[in-house]
Amino acid sequence: AGEAGVVEAVVAAVSGHVESLDVQRQAHRLVFSLTNEVVENVIRAGNAGAVEAIVAVICRHACTPQTPRNIKVQELACSTLNTLVLRNPHNQTRAGTAGAVG
């Protein structure tokens, strides 16, 4: 999947469709599936901007007066982010820079 550009395509969907809850649900499931215990795909996803995109989604779909909180998207995004930063120092740095750690 990594060699075929699938990881990068799914990351592009996360980045390009921040407002679409349906796209986010499906894309986070795919990123999680592609990167869970596949180190090469974790690196590939990080290099493609997945960490920053996921942090942006978490911030966008947090509870604000303008947008109701979407718990499922939050859960999926947090699980996916955890998969990307666990045991990957480069992605941990990316998450901190993107504002995941306050």
Side-chain angles (χ1 to χ4, degrees), residues 32-47:
F32 180 83
S33 177
L34 291 166
T35 58
N36 191 28
E37 299 186 28
V38 183
V39 174
E40 298 83 11
N41 285 346
V42 169
I43 294 167
R44 201 173 262 114
N47 290 339

Side-chain angles (χ1 to χ4, degrees), residues 1 14 52 54 68 71 84 87 90 99:
V14 171
E52 296 84 353
I54 292 168
I71 293 172
L84 294 175
R87 298 184 296 271
H90 296 296

Side-chain angles (χ1 to χ4, degrees), residues 13 28 30 40 65 72 74 79 82 92 94 98:
H28 288 293
L30 283 169
E40 298 83 11
K72 190 61 178 173
Q74 290 285 315
S79 293
N82 183 59
Q92 291 168 9
R94 287 179 174 115

Side-chain angles (χ1 to χ4, degrees), residues 2-70:
E3 295 83 24
V6 174
V7 172
E8 292 81 359
V10 176
V11 171
V14 171
S15 299
H17 301 281
V18 173
E19 298 298 322
S20 173
L21 297 177
D22 290 332
V23 171
Q24 292 303 319
R25 282 186 206 100
Q26 296 304 318
H28 288 293
R29 286 183 184 116
L30 283 169
V31 172
F32 180 83
S33 177
L34 291 166
T35 58
N36 191 28
E37 299 186 28
V38 183
V39 174
E40 298 83 11
N41 285 346
V42 169
I43 294 167
R44 201 173 262 114
N47 290 339
V51 172
E52 296 84 353
I54 292 168
V55 172
V57 168
I58 291 169
C59 292
R60 177 64 185 98
H61 293 285
C63 187
T64 67
Q66 296 79 25
T67 58
R69 185 173 174 194
N70 189 294

